[in-house]
Amino acid sequence: MKKSTLSDPFKEARESKGFGEMDDQNDPVVMVLGHKDVRKCAHNWKTFQSGGDEVGRIVVPSEVHIRNTRQIPFEVDPPEHKSYRDLVEPWFKRPLEANYQAKLTQIINNVVDEALNKGTLEVVEEFALKLQSRALTLLLNIPFEESDLWISWGTHVFRSEDTALDGDKANILYDYIDAQIDKAIENPGNDLYSVLLASEINGKKLTKEEVKGVLILTFAGGRDTVINAVTNAIAYFADHPKSLQRLRDEPEILNTAIEELIRYFSPLTQMGRVVTENTHVCEHAIKAQSRISMCWASANRDERVFENANDVVLDRKVNPHVAFGFGTHNCLGATHARQIMKILLTTLAEKVGTMEIIKCKENIEDLDEFKRKVGFDSIHVTFNKL
């Protein structure tokens, strides 16, 4: 088996009963596995709620014990959700602008050039984390040098070596955001902090807590996911040099290739919801105030929807994947992530001849009855110039 392969641990449960079960810090989760059922639950925000009384409970693993700031618009339901979404969405569409793309291209070119000059490097820390952090300065519209601090935090915002959730480490991010908000109050600029502080919803200025909620989502939501996507892409093309050659020969398949890789990788395994009323999922009874999760990674391997679901088909014609979520709460950062992947794949095709995986340590999520490889804790790769 190639090192870049991500298997489907959900297949048997998805096909036999449609759901799985896991315990999350003594707060059980029913995992919805089928593509149709996942989309149906994601669409039904009234029964499967993102808001709710307990901040952080919809995330799996739950963040109830490490934060009390509601992530916006992620943890807000309609109709309030629309007001927040309408406010921030234009900002998060900026990656479609030519100037933004030119700056992002320069960032990614530099990271690839660094890899080629070094020859062999550890991709998670020395490539993917750098790329993700430097690209985030564009999304926030702040000085490039700020990325050095974020890189120093390491790959995980909330995670340390011995625990999946580390409150002390999380506070580094929260304290940082508080300080940046205070700085923007004193000296407003054109950054996201300042823009949010100057914004209104229904005639009222956003509070510092609301601004903080948007920024926590921006920092945390796009960190592990982008790092996983970038790292897995490097691993895939190292294992499949003919696929990299195909991007050179057939640049017209670039966009479909990106969607297919994101489907296959599914950088975020699942996202939870709180159930507002007694209901059923896949004929399984779910009690009010319990939790479900929509397992994007399982839905994206559903063979009733995707032919050859466990293969990467770079020119897949029909690809209704849910790697960026579905429905009301589809990923706010999807445009940014797609541009990163588009420019990364283009740059690799232009500059890199082959890549070779020297050694790696897989990142395996323990989901009780399921063990899912989501990427790599470390992967050493040799980059060879074209």
Side-chain angles (χ1 to χ4, degrees), residues 3-68:
K3 292 181 173 66
S4 62
T5 300
L6 272 67
S7 60
D8 173 20
F10 310 105
K11 179 180 171 65
E12 183 179 345
R14 182 177 62 243
E15 294 181 351
S16 63
K17 56 183 181 177
F19 67 93
E21 296 176 273
M22 66 173 285
D23 179 73
D24 174 21
Q25 303 162 75
N26 298 316
D27 188 3
V29 180
V30 174
M31 302 169 66
V32 185
L33 303 177
H35 187 272
K36 180 180 179 181
D37 294 316
V38 163
R39 294 198 351 164
K40 187 176 179 180
C41 290
H43 185 70
N44 184 3
W45 56 266
K46 290 183 178 178
T47 302
F48 306 110
Q49 194 174 63
S50 295
D53 296 331
E54 286 191 88
V55 171
R57 193 173 176 224
I58 66 167
V59 186
V60 184
S62 168
E63 296 174 0
V64 166
H65 301 300
I66 64 167
R67 69 176 164 91
N68 52 27

Side-chain angles (χ1 to χ4, degrees), residues 72-73 83-93 196 214 332:
I72 295 174
S83 299
Y84 287 114
R85 184 87 187 204
D86 289 349
L87 172 66
V88 298
E89 195 148 40
W91 182 273
F92 283 86
K93 293 294 184 185
L196 291 172
V214 175
L332 194 60

Side-chain angles (χ1 to χ4, degrees), residues 294-333:
M294 297 159 296
C295 188
W296 316 121
S298 174
N300 284 339
R301 298 295 182 94
D302 193 331
E303 291 172 330
R304 293 165 294 190
V305 177
F306 303 99
E307 187 177 357
N308 301 318
N310 290 309
D311 297 332
V312 173
V313 182
L314 292 179
D315 60 352
R316 188 180 292 277
K317 297 296 186 290
V318 180
N319 192 352
H321 73 75
V322 289
F324 289 120
F326 183 77
T328 303
H329 290 279
N330 62 308
C331 177
L332 194 60

Side-chain angles (χ1 to χ4, degrees), residues 84 103 195 211 240 248 287 326:
Y84 287 114
K103 291 178 180 177
V195 169
V211 173
H240 301 87
R248 295 187 197 103
K287 288 186 177 181
F326 183 77

